[in-house]
């Protein structure tokens, strides 16, 4: 089973700043089948990025994904107040597994 | 509108059985996978398993194999997650989510693009 490790566990930034979240896989993720989700308190997760770098429908272009193999990154170019949430990566090339999450909090 | 609507919150006692549901609408229910995801209080997301309602092809995470049963009734566009004997450690929010079909040597599944609102299951004596 592929294990995904996200870092940092918590990221403290201010609105307007750039956020960089990392997701590292224990083995190569097939065909970049890597997704990112955002979850706000009391809400279901929302798909942001699939295929490592494709934005899901309706996702603002300040969200971008990159990477391949075992190292992937979610970048939020300029943080808006509504972006503070928990972010999860997920691989779906071999079963489905989630990372443990990164909490993005307001500094 | 494409949506998944889950059944309401449940409060059960240890040892009891339970079946929760997830009804899809606004799309071809038999052409997408439906997966189940657990989120224990204050914790992260855990993939439990997934079913293709078109032919009931079902896959389980090794962590949940034998602990739960996933099924679907395509005639009413509804997927189910059931337990035969609940434990206190089953207390969690359970989400269903839709995944498209990918072909990677065999039929497999895409990311979860549509999520249900979640069903809270509380197991307490």
């Amino acid at each position: 089973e592929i294990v995904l490790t996200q870092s940092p566990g918590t990221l403290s930034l201010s609105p307007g700043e750039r956020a960089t979240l990392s997701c590292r896989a224990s083995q190569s993720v097939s065909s970049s089948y890597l997704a990112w989700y955002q979850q706000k308190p009391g809400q279901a997760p929302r798909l942001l990025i699939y295929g490592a770098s494709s934005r899901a429908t309706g996702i603002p272009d300040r969200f971008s994904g990159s990477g391949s193999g075992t190292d992937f990154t979610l970048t939020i170019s300029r943080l808006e107040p509504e972006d503070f949430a928990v972010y999860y990566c997920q691989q779906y090339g071999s079963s489905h597994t989630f990372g443990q999450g990164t909490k993005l909090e307001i500094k | 509108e494409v949506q998944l609507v889950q059944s309401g919150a449940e409060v059960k006692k240890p040892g009891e059985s339970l079946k929760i549901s997830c009804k899809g609408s606004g799309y071809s229910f038999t052409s997408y996978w439906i997966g189940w995801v657990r989120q224990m209080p204050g914790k992260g997301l855990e993939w439990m398993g997934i079913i293709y309602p078109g032919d009931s092809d079902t896959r389980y995470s090794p962590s949940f194999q034998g602990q739960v049963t996933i099924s679907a009734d395509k005639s009413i566009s509804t997927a189910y997650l059931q337990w035969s004997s609940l434990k206190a450690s089953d207390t969690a929010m359970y989400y269903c989510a839709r995944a498209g079909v990918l072909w990677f040597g065999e039929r497999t599944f895409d990311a979860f693009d549509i999520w249900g609102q979640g069903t809270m299951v509380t197991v307490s004596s």
Side-chain angles (χ1 to χ4, degrees):
Chain A
E1 179 180 281
I2 297 177
V3 176
L4 300 178
T5 302
Q6 293 187 240
S7 62
T10 301
L11 184 59
S12 299
L13 294 170
S14 300
E17 290 192 294
R18 180 185 186 89
T20 303
L21 287 66
S22 174
C23 177
R24 179 161 289 175
S26 60
Q27 54 189 281
S28 184
V29 175
S30 305
S31 302
S32 295
Y33 289 154
L34 194 286
W36 290 93
Y37 299 86
Q38 176 193 68
Q39 188 179 32
K40 297 180 180 179
Q43 296 185 17
R46 174 174 71 145
L47 177 65
L48 299 175
I49 301 287
Y50 64 95
S53 60
S54 297
R55 272 188 300 278
T57 302
I59 301 304
D61 60 8
R62 64 179 181 274
F63 291 91
S64 63
S66 62
S68 64
T70 60
D71 288 295
F72 298 88
T73 300
L74 174 69
T75 301
I76 311 172
S77 58
R78 283 181 59 86
L79 285 165
E80 298 287 343
E82 62 267 28
D83 297 337
F84 292 92
V86 179
Y87 292 83
Y88 295 94
C89 61
Q90 178 208 37
Q91 69 81 22
Y92 53 93
S94 171
S95 184
H96 275 138
T97 51
F98 290 97
Q100 83 279 16
T102 289
K103 182 179 181 180
L104 178 57
E105 65 177 22
I106 298 177
K107 188 173 182 180
Chain B
E1 179 191 6
V2 175
Q3 59 178 350
L4 298 173
V5 178
Q6 298 185 230
S7 49
E10 301 275 359
V11 179
K12 306 292 278 188
K13 289 181 167 39
E16 292 186 329
S17 62
L18 176 64
K19 192 173 189 177
I20 63 175
S21 67
C22 169
K23 183 174 176 63
S25 62
Y27 73 99
S28 175
F29 187 73
T30 54
S31 300
Y32 288 81
W33 297 87
I34 294 288
W36 288 94
V37 176
R38 183 175 79 174
Q39 188 167 39
M40 299 177 77
K43 302 299 183 183
L45 305 173
E46 300 174 89
W47 183 76
M48 302 177 70
I50 198 163
I51 188 166
Y52 188 71
D55 59 9
S56 294
D57 180 8
T58 307
R59 321 275 177 89
Y60 291 94
S61 162
S63 300
F64 291 92
Q65 179 85 48
Q67 308 304 306
V68 297
T69 301
I70 293 170
S71 60
D73 184 342
K74 61 185 179 182
S75 69
I76 55 171
S77 301
T78 301
Y80 301 96
L81 177 66
Q82 68 180 87
W83 296 259
S84 59
S85 181
L86 286 160
K87 303 184 278 288
S89 57
D90 293 318
T91 294
M93 180 71 81
Y94 293 88
Y95 293 102
C96 65
R98 185 185 83 161
V101 174
L102 293 175
W103 289 95
F104 187 62
E106 61 171 350
R107 184 178 63 198
T108 183
F109 25 78
D110 208 336
F112 289 133
D113 64 343
I114 303 293
W115 292 68
Q117 83 277 18
T119 296
M120 184 67 207
V121 173
T122 303
V123 183
S124 174
S125 55

